[in-house]
Amino acid sequence: MKSAWRVIPSSFSELNLEVTLTCAQSFSHLLSSFLNAKNNSPVEIHRQLVEVYGEKCMDIKNVRKWCREFNEGRINVHDEQRSGRPSLPESTVARIDEMVRANRRITLEEIEDGLNEDCSHFSVHKIVSETLGYRKVTARWSKLEDGTFRGVLGDGVWTLSQCPDTGNLLYTVTRTSAPQNKPAKRTRLAKVQNEDDSKLRDYFNLDVGLEQLHHNWGLEDPDYLSLSKQHSGIRILRQDPVENLFSFICSSNNNIPRITSLVEKLCTHLGPALLELDGHQFHQFPAVEALAQPDVEPLLRKLGFGYRAKYIQQSAAKICQEREPGWLMGLRDATYEEAHAALIKLPGIGAKVADCICLMSLDKWEAVPLDIHMWNLARRQYLPHLQSHKSLTDRTYREIGEFFRNKFGKHAGWAHEVLFCGELKQFKNRKAS
């Protein structure tokens, strides 16, 4: 362990750093299967895919095929195993691996442009995520080649790791502001370190006793107990409400690498420059006031945000013009029902996105975001009377959410995180800790 690392005592059963950051990003991956669950027509799904991906998206024939398969009971979007399936040359895979290692923030589009050969968007995505096994963490965090995680939190660039022996959380912080012309006093350094410890503990909600929650829920639900052992240490992040809200608007009908790319563009073009570290320029997330300017929408459309550009600018303008200063942060003191009702009045925010924001930045731990995975789980394991329902209506959404809130109580969203991971292919093979 490097002497420069600062240490926050923890354990893998209370915090699994990599899975927590990875799962937080998975929240924002709204698949076309969820659009189908919401009873959108194939034509409408295809229209939104074209707006997001342009000519790279699947054609209407394939959209209709996927909708038909989901209506007939299919529960995931992973390709079936097929023998004799053609594969790309090993040299292409090696080239993609080299590009990712050289730039951990590279996007799929940048990989395609750099290959200079006929390789589809979906082939690149498959090579990155399945063949090479790269996993993207939350939009503002990147996993470095040495296994550490780096991202912006507040006024600093943080590098995080976890001690493989103890599970302690390790971190360093780089800032531009430093005492000038005189040596730092030891008491000041101690104060800064204590403040940094508190900030990181707050970000990971480390005061919530995860093991005890899993134990209590497992007493009444043996299936949950088994799942919680397999997915221990997955925590709910306490993100900045502004960053969280506008990042989720970026996530609408999008994939994870593209979401990351859009959030990065928001910060690069509209956020204050923070500092440069190891050749990468870091920016803070833009303030609501910056996003509310009239010229933001055309800028974001030019940058590839599509219809989300309008929602970002309009939501920011509505917050600035029609809400009191600090309104969004003040929703942390409101009830879940009040916060949820307030959020869905903003352009581009529906029930699920509002639940994600409530859970991950507004301290509403009873919020239960529902996507196609959680809908299928609820019908299969907890609410079999919903199996005859072909679409996830607003009424059914509320019914499932209330069921989980009644079952798991005021921390239902934390239980949801474990159940959600249990439904994702990328986490299914984790060993119980």
Side-chain angles (χ1 to χ4, degrees), residues 88-256:
L88 290 168
E90 290 186 7
S91 59
T92 300
V93 177
R95 173 61 180 146
I96 292 175
D97 187 32
E98 179 183 338
M99 294 168 72
V100 174
R101 288 176 179 273
N103 177 11
R104 291 290 173 146
R105 293 177 176 267
I106 196 169
T107 66
L108 296 185
E109 289 82 1
E110 290 170 339
I111 293 175
E112 290 176 67
D113 293 341
L115 285 175
N116 295 319
E117 60 183 84
D118 185 18
C119 187
S120 72
H121 182 86
F122 294 102
S123 294
V124 171
H125 183 274
K126 190 174 183 65
I127 290 172
V128 170
S129 62
E130 297 185 20
T131 305
L132 297 175
Y134 288 112
R135 292 285 180 253
K136 186 65 194 176
V137 294
T138 57
R140 295 282 274 156
W141 293 92
S142 291
K143 187 175 183 180
L144 306 182
E145 192 167 355
D146 62 1
T148 60
F149 299 86
R150 179 169 289 167
V152 175
L153 185 59
D155 61 349
V157 176
W158 299 62
T159 305
L160 308 179
S161 185
Q162 194 162 16
C163 179
D165 298 323
T166 64
N168 287 339
L169 178 60
L170 314 175
Y171 75 93
T172 63
V173 192
T174 304
R175 293 186 174 90
T176 56
S177 57
Q180 300 293 323
N181 302 323
K182 58 181 180 180
K185 296 182 179 179
R186 181 173 298 179
T187 53
R188 173 58 185 164
L189 290 175
K191 181 179 179 181
V192 169
Q193 181 165 345
N194 288 337
E195 292 173 352
D196 288 340
D197 285 0
S198 297
K199 182 174 291 186
L200 210 53
R201 291 187 63 86
D202 180 77
Y203 184 71
F204 284 102
N205 280 309
L206 290 181
D207 290 333
V208 176
L210 200 53
E211 285 187 275
Q212 189 61 52
L213 287 176
H214 291 331
H215 173 76
N216 293 342
W217 293 327
L219 292 177
E220 299 182 4
D221 189 338
D223 290 334
Y224 179 87
L225 179 62
S226 175
L227 202 60
S228 68
K229 291 180 179 178
Q230 183 180 357
H231 301 291
S232 62
I234 303 174
R235 308 191 70 83
I236 298 293
L237 300 179
R238 192 179 194 233
Q239 301 180 48
D240 174 76
V242 172
E243 180 173 333
N244 192 235
L245 186 151
F246 289 100
S247 294
F248 271 113
I249 292 180
C250 290
S251 77
S252 178
N253 308 329
N254 226 333
N255 63 41
I256 292 175

Side-chain angles (χ1 to χ4, degrees), residues 18-28 136-138 234 360 417-418 420-421 424 426-427:
E18 179 165 9
V19 179
T20 293
L21 294 178
T22 304
C23 190
Q25 180 63 69
S26 298
F27 260 100
S28 58
K136 186 65 194 176
V137 294
T138 57
I234 303 174
M360 302 191 72
E417 184 98 336
V418 172
F420 178 68
C421 281
L424 297 182
Q426 69 194 82
F427 295 121

Side-chain angles (χ1 to χ4, degrees), residues 51-82:
E51 185 157 8
V52 173
Y53 298 108
E55 62 183 18
K56 298 173 183 176
C57 79
M58 69 176 72
D59 58 26
I60 184 64
K61 180 180 178 180
N62 278 302
V63 171
R64 287 196 174 101
K65 183 198 78 168
W66 278 104
C67 288
R68 184 171 60 252
E69 291 192 17
F70 276 106
N71 287 332
E72 291 173 354
R74 183 159 185 158
I75 63 172
N76 61 59
V77 295
H78 307 300
D79 290 337
E80 305 293 342
Q81 294 294 325
R82 287 181 281 174

Side-chain angles (χ1 to χ4, degrees), residues 28-32 35 40 43-58 63 108-109 112 121-122 125 248-262 265 300-309 311:
S28 58
H29 188 190
L30 307 183
L31 301 171
S32 60
L35 292 176
N40 283 4
V43 173
E44 173 60 17
I45 293 173
H46 183 255
R47 183 193 69 77
Q48 295 192 33
L49 288 173
V50 169
E51 185 157 8
V52 173
Y53 298 108
E55 62 183 18
K56 298 173 183 176
C57 79
M58 69 176 72
V63 171
L108 296 185
E109 289 82 1
E112 290 176 67
H121 182 86
F122 294 102
H125 183 274
F248 271 113
I249 292 180
C250 290
S251 77
S252 178
N253 308 329
N254 226 333
N255 63 41
I256 292 175
R258 184 171 169 82
I259 295 165
T260 302
S261 174
L262 294 183
K265 288 177 181 178
L300 296 185
R301 286 189 178 276
K302 184 178 179 181
L303 293 173
F305 281 70
Y307 64 90
R308 301 172 200 81
Y311 292 148

Side-chain angles (χ1 to χ4, degrees), residues 335-402:
T335 65
Y336 162 65
E337 292 78 13
E338 292 169 341
H340 192 275
L343 289 171
I344 60 176
K345 293 179 181 178
L346 296 175
I349 296 182
K352 184 197 174 195
V353 172
D355 272 330
C356 290
I357 298 167
C358 281
L359 178 62
M360 302 191 72
S361 64
L362 297 180
D363 302 338
K364 306 299 179 278
W365 294 335
E366 67 268 45
V368 180
L370 298 176
D371 71 342
I372 187 66
H373 301 90
M374 291 300 294
W375 184 46
N376 285 322
L377 172 69
R379 293 190 300 167
R380 182 181 73 246
Q381 188 167 321
Y382 294 108
L383 299 169
H385 69 278
L386 295 178
Q387 290 180 3
S388 61
H389 291 222
K390 295 299 183 181
S391 63
L392 181 59
T393 64
D394 291 340
R395 180 178 178 179
T396 306
Y397 187 100
R398 290 192 297 270
E399 178 183 351
I400 297 173
E402 285 303 313

